[in-house]
Amino acid sequence: MRYHQGVEMTLIGLALLASTLSQTVVAQSETRLGSRGQVIGVTTNVSKNPTRSVLPAMAVGADGKIHLTWMDLAADGLQIMYSSSLDGLSWSRPKNVSKSRAASAFPSIVVDDLGVVHLTWMEGLRADLDIYYSHFKDKEWSEPRNVSNLKGISQRPQMAIDSTGKVHVVWYDNTSGSFELFHCWREGATWSKPKNKKLVDWYITHDPRYWMTAGLAADVSGHLRLVWTDIYDQTQALFYSRWNGESWSQPENISSKPVRPRSPYV
C-alpha cells in the first residue's frame, strides 16, 4: 500500500529482501523512500539460519498480521519455513512446515478472511516431484498433503483465494511428456484432483521447448487472474486468462513487443 506525500513515498507494510551476500531472509518495516531513492528503516533477520535462506513469499491478513515463508537450506535438506509478526519488528520463531526428508522449494502463501494461513510448495527428489499443501489454524499446522498426485514432475506452485473462499493452486507438470499448466482447488476440506485420464480437461497451455513460469492472484472482487509465459508464433510471449468459476477464458497474448518475458507475477 503506497501513500504519496510530497517528494517522499511511505511504504506501510513490509519489504522482503533476499541478501545476495548472506542469503538471509530479512524484513524492513516502516520503510521510507526519499526523493533520491534512499531507504530508511529497520532491518530484521527473520530466518536466523546460519546457511542459506531464499525465495521469500509474504501475505498479510485482514487483522494486519504479517505471514512470511521461505526456503531454508537446513541440516536435513531444503525445508519450507514460516514466521509471523504483528508489527514487522518482532517475529515468531521460524517453524519448519514441510518437515520432509526430500527437497522442498518454491513456497506460495495466502491468508483467507478467517485468518487461516494456506501454504503450498513443491517437494520430492529428482523426477518425483509433487505439490504439497498445509494450513495453519488453531495454532497448529496441518499435516502436509500431496494435492497434485500426478506421475510427472510437478513444480512451482502459485496460490490464490477466490470470492467464494476457495483456495486455488496452479503449477507445471510434465506427466504428458511436456510441461503443462495444471489447476486444482480446495473447497472446505476437499481438494479437486487432476485425473490422468482427462489431462486435456486440466492443462491450460504447454510447449516442450521452453521453460515456463506463471503468476496467480485474485482481484479486489475475488476473481482469479492468471499470467504465464508460453510460445506464440515461435516467440516466447506473456499470456493472460481469468477464471469464471468453472473454466479459464481464452488465453490473451498481452506481450507488448517480441521479447522473452520471464517469471511473471500478478
Side-chain angles (χ1 to χ4, degrees), residues 65 82 95 115-117 135-142:
K65 189 173 184 178
Y82 166 85
K95 172 73 174 180
V116 178
V117 183
H135 66 269
F136 186 75
K137 183 180 181 181
D138 299 328
K139 301 182 179 181
E140 291 185 347
W141 283 98
S142 64

Side-chain angles (χ1 to χ4, degrees), residues 21-247:
L21 296 178
S22 62
Q23 290 190 297
T24 298
V25 173
V26 300
Q28 287 184 336
S29 62
E30 298 181 358
T31 302
R32 296 175 65 84
L33 299 182
S35 58
R36 297 182 180 179
Q38 68 270 29
V39 177
I40 305 172
V42 178
T43 301
T44 304
N45 184 341
V46 180
S47 59
K48 300 178 181 178
N49 181 15
T51 56
R52 295 181 179 181
S53 300
V54 295
L55 301 175
M58 180 189 68
V60 180
D63 58 357
K65 189 173 184 178
I66 306 164
H67 304 271
L68 177 62
T69 182
W70 66 93
M71 181 186 77
D72 255 4
L73 177 58
D76 51 353
L78 299 178
Q79 302 290 348
I80 301 302
M81 309 298 292
Y82 166 85
S83 181
S84 63
S85 174
L86 294 174
D87 57 10
L89 299 174
S90 299
W91 291 84
S92 64
R93 183 177 179 179
K95 172 73 174 180
N96 185 342
V97 180
S98 55
K99 298 178 292 185
S100 172
R101 295 181 180 178
S104 301
F106 292 99
S108 179
I109 189 169
V110 294
V111 184
D112 64 27
D113 292 339
L114 298 178
V116 178
V117 183
H118 304 268
L119 181 59
T120 187
W121 64 92
M122 56 180 277
E123 179 180 307
L125 296 172
R126 297 186 179 181
D128 184 17
L129 291 172
D130 284 293
I131 305 303
Y132 280 78
Y133 163 87
S134 179
H135 66 269
F136 186 75
K137 183 180 181 181
D138 299 328
K139 301 182 179 181
E140 291 185 347
W141 283 98
S142 64
E143 189 68 21
R145 175 177 177 177
N146 185 341
V147 298
S148 56
N149 287 304
L150 294 171
K151 296 180 179 180
I153 298 175
S154 296
Q155 59 186 15
R156 299 200 174 193
Q158 291 291 311
M159 188 164 46
I161 300 176
D162 69 16
S163 58
T164 67
K166 292 179 182 177
V167 179
H168 295 257
V169 183
V170 296
W171 70 92
Y172 282 101
D173 181 89
N174 68 345
T175 295
S176 67
S178 60
F179 279 102
E180 302 172 343
L181 194 56
F182 282 74
H183 169 222
C184 74
W185 61 88
R186 181 179 188 262
E187 186 172 9
T190 303
W191 280 92
S192 63
K193 295 182 179 180
K195 298 180 180 179
N196 290 335
K197 295 181 180 179
K198 297 182 179 179
L199 285 176
V200 68
D201 293 339
W202 287 87
Y203 84 80
I204 298 174
T205 184
H206 76 280
D207 190 291
R209 298 170 297 167
Y210 291 80
W211 180 271
M212 299 178 293
T213 55
L216 179 69
D219 61 23
V220 293
S221 299
H223 300 138
L224 296 184
R225 312 289 178 168
L226 176 67
V227 292
W228 71 97
T229 54
D230 202 348
I231 309 306
Y232 177 77
D233 195 21
Q234 298 184 342
T235 301
Q236 191 163 358
L238 183 64
F239 285 83
Y240 163 82
S241 181
R242 56 192 178 278
W243 174 255
N244 65 9
E246 296 182 359
S247 62

Side-chain angles (χ1 to χ4, degrees), residues 4-30:
H4 295 275
Q5 300 176 348
V7 296
E8 293 187 336
M9 180 173 67
T10 301
L11 301 184
I12 306 299
L14 188 70
L16 299 178
L17 302 174
S19 170
T20 56
L21 296 178
S22 62
Q23 290 190 297
T24 298
V25 173
V26 300
Q28 287 184 336
S29 62
E30 298 181 358

